[in-house]
Amino acid sequence: MPDLLILIAIMFVDPFGFSNSTDERSKDVFYQVTSPFYPDTARDNIAVILIDDASLDTEFFDWPPSFDQYDTLLSSVATYAPKAVFFDLLFLDPRGQEDDLEFFADNIRAIRDFKDTPVFAMGAASIHAGTAECFSESISVLPQIGDAVTDLPFFRFSGYGNDYPMYTMCNGRTLLSPAAELLKAVCSLDSNGSELDGPCPDATLSNVQQITKTIPDAISIRWGEATAPINQRLYPASFDGEGSDCVPPSDKFIEKLLRSASYFIGAFSERLRPDISENCIYHPHMSAFDLIVRAQQASHVATADKAEQANASRKILEDFLNNKVVLIGLDVAGVRDTVISPVQGTVPGVMAHAMALDNALVLGSDLQHAAPVLFWEADGTDAIEIAGLLVLTLLRWRLASNAIASSNSKPDSKRSYVRFALMALGCVAFFFALIAATFFILRWSPINWIGLIGLGWAYIAFCYSTTMQRPNADGYVHE
């Protein structure tokens, strides 16, 4: 019992920060290991446009961009009939000429009303987990934008850790995140009442009440590994600009299995961790500058050369934008809008919305989420971890029994150690099977398996070193 209480204190009171660091590492590695097998059925239905440093170095964009420049970008996108458009931006103050804001708002209305393309922008609501509190920022979105867009999903949240909130209910309202708003738009019906073509897992998810009934309020985002094929056509260089090719990894099962194994081995040593930063990010992506240049090229038909270039650019943009959910975000140095992907490393913040939407389209109601709370602050994964610690103390008791038997020169002491080793391996196999079951069947977030393995290794090794036989003047004795 004292040993068990000490282990529980190390894991849950966490006086040394051991549990906190290994908990996040456990999730990251688990998502790395499973990333080669993440389904890519929704990947090519989502496109990301980045207003990046390369865009700001051109004549097309200022910093901050004016509404005239946003209008040009939106018009270039809308030409190719996207399924929905989302600006991962807060429009708080007017920029550029006086009429630019009105023209931009009118363009949003035209796209929304006449082309049946919903347009979303970041809203002003903030939410806080664990409370019923929600409020609007003192600086609100420009009313011209608020009136023009289809809706304003909430833009700021706290209390969810590294999870992504899909919706929250407070003050009698249901607030949706960007991913949930886009999911609702993707699953909407057209004017004839028939289902739209696309990857929607269930047409009823176009209803807010059905979303809150079907999917969890917060999800643990799974990240895909294989970059979209169109990225290789768009950019021969990688997203980080270092000149490496955007080559999708092999789709063969054995290759996927080997990559999963290498990610697992890398969990225990950074030196053994495979380099996965050379691949492009998961979803199709394009610089805003590149998109506008291609849109201008697509409009040229004056000469044979121009016509050939126009057709090539038009084909790229149709493949990139047509019937796709388009997210527009920032990738600008000095702007703190990034997230850490366990697979691709640091990526622009808009990628979290894209990946959360991808999860919802691929997994439907089977999204990964936190385990249910059982008592106080302990949830299902905590219960599994406590059970693992209990097994460790039982194994330690068995190890001590074997050592005492050995010191008393009982004939089957060696067999006892073999049985102990087999029992320990059986426990490890059982817990890995249990972890897999909670992840793939119950869809819980991964437990702190690295912490359990590390703590168990150190604990059993220490117990073994203190219970083995040691020589002295009278022969071998147990200490």
Side-chain angles (χ1 to χ4, degrees):
M1 185 58 69
D3 283 6
L4 178 61
L5 293 177
I6 290 172
L7 292 176
I8 290 176
I10 292 174
M11 285 292 289
F12 298 100
V13 179
D14 199 21
F16 311 111
F18 169 80
S19 180
N20 185 58
S21 59
T22 54
D23 187 47
E24 294 305 320
R25 182 70 171 154
S26 296
K27 292 180 181 179
D28 288 348
V29 173
F30 205 94
Y31 288 138
Q32 287 173 14
V33 170
T34 57
S35 65
F37 299 96
Y38 177 78
D40 59 6
T41 52
R43 178 192 60 196
D44 298 328
N45 292 281
I46 300 170
V48 178
I49 299 171
L50 296 171
I51 302 174
D52 54 7
D53 291 314
S55 300
L56 300 182
D57 289 338
T58 68
E59 71 276 10
F60 291 104
F61 287 95
D62 301 318
W63 183 252
S66 67
F67 283 105
D68 178 58
Q69 293 163 346
Y70 285 133
D71 187 64
T72 301
L73 179 59
L74 180 60
S75 296
S76 300
V77 171
T79 300
Y80 295 90
K83 187 183 291 289
V85 179
F86 165 62
F87 283 92
D88 186 22
L89 302 164
L90 276 170
F91 297 111
L92 302 177
D93 48 38
R95 301 163 187 167
Q97 299 297 321
E98 185 176 348
D99 295 332
D100 288 348
L101 175 57
E102 293 296 338
F103 285 137
F104 182 50
D106 289 341
N107 194 17
I108 292 175
R109 290 190 188 91
I111 292 169
R112 183 194 69 186
D113 297 335
F114 298 110
K115 293 190 176 184
D116 291 328
T117 301
V119 181
F120 303 94
M122 276 298 191
S126 296
I127 62 170
H128 303 272
T131 70
E133 178 186 9
C134 64
F135 61 90
S136 296
E137 293 292 298
S138 57
I139 302 177
S140 60
V141 172
L142 289 166
Q144 295 92 329
I145 301 298
D147 293 339
V149 296
T150 305
D151 214 332
L152 294 167
F154 59 75
F155 81 100
R156 182 178 294 167
F157 49 86
S158 62
Y160 291 91
N162 289 334
D163 286 352
Y164 180 96
M166 295 295 285
Y167 61 86
T168 187
M169 300 179 185
C170 63
N171 296 336
R173 298 186 301 159
T174 300
L175 302 177
L176 300 182
S177 69
E181 285 282 11
L182 292 170
L183 175 67
K184 182 164 67 77
V186 168
C187 296
S188 295
L189 305 179
D190 64 16
S191 57
N192 296 321
S194 60
E195 292 185 22
L196 291 170
D197 295 333
C200 176
D202 187 348
T204 61
L205 292 176
S206 61
N207 181 282
V208 174
Q209 287 73 25
Q210 190 67 23
I211 286 178
T212 58
K213 184 190 302 182
T214 304
I215 64 177
D217 61 339
I219 66 173
S220 181
I221 298 177
R222 290 183 62 183
W223 294 80
E225 179 201 39
T227 186
I230 195 173
N231 288 335
Q232 194 172 10
R233 292 168 54 197
L234 290 170
Y235 302 108
S238 70
F239 181 73
D240 58 17
E242 294 179 354
S244 53
D245 292 338
C246 279
V247 180
S250 172
D251 198 39
K252 295 181 179 178
F253 177 80
I254 188 65
E255 295 288 342
K256 290 182 177 180
L257 201 61
L258 290 173
R259 290 200 303 275
S260 289
S262 65
Y263 294 148
F264 179 78
I265 294 171
F268 302 97
S269 173
E270 285 294 331
R271 294 182 180 180
L272 299 176
R273 185 175 183 269
D275 184 8
I276 55 178
S277 62
E278 293 184 358
N279 292 331
C280 286
I281 52 182
Y282 185 70
H283 291 103
H285 63 277
M286 185 183 293
S287 167
F289 163 69
D290 191 21
L291 185 137
I292 290 177
V293 169
R294 290 179 187 274
Q296 291 182 346
Q297 291 173 348
S299 64
H300 292 312
V301 293
T303 64
D305 291 340
K306 292 282 189 179
E308 184 178 352
Q309 185 185 60
N311 290 333
S313 293
R314 192 176 299 113
K315 175 61 176 170
I316 283 285
L317 293 179
E318 285 177 352
D319 291 346
F320 184 74
L321 297 171
N322 182 247
N323 208 32
K324 305 294 193 296
V325 178
V326 179
L327 296 89
I328 301 172
L330 295 175
D331 183 28
V332 179
V335 176
R336 298 178 60 184
D337 187 17
T338 58
V339 294
I340 305 296
S341 160
V343 181
Q344 280 94 21
T346 302
V347 296
V350 66
M351 296 301 173
H353 303 305
M355 204 67 233
L357 172 62
D358 193 293
N359 279 207
L361 294 175
V362 169
L363 302 174
S365 59
D366 293 329
L367 290 159
Q368 306 298 146
H369 58 277
V373 175
L374 301 179
F375 56 91
W376 290 324
E377 296 295 323
D379 60 21
T381 56
D382 294 327
I384 294 175
E385 290 169 11
I386 291 174
L389 298 178
L390 177 60
V391 170
L392 281 178
T393 58
L394 294 177
L395 287 175
R396 185 261 187 217
W397 169 80
R398 182 63 183 173
L399 182 63
S401 298
N402 290 344
I404 293 172
S406 178
S407 66
N408 292 332
S409 300
K410 291 186 178 179
D412 64 341
S413 59
K414 290 184 178 180
R415 292 182 181 179
S416 296
Y417 278 110
V418 172
R419 287 197 297 269
F420 170 81
L422 293 176
M423 182 169 35
L425 289 175
C427 289
V428 171
F430 172 76
F431 269 96
F432 269 105
L434 186 60
I435 292 168
T438 59
F439 184 81
F440 292 107
I441 299 176
L442 298 178
R443 297 292 178 175
W444 292 354
S445 300
I447 73 169
N448 188 359
W449 59 276
I450 291 180
L452 282 177
I453 290 175
L455 193 60
W457 179 270
Y459 177 67
I460 294 296
F462 172 76
C463 293
Y464 178 75
S465 67
T466 57
T467 55
M468 64 185 299
Q469 296 183 87
R470 302 184 186 278
N472 64 9
D474 298 325
Y476 287 87
V477 299
H478 166 68
E479 293 187 359

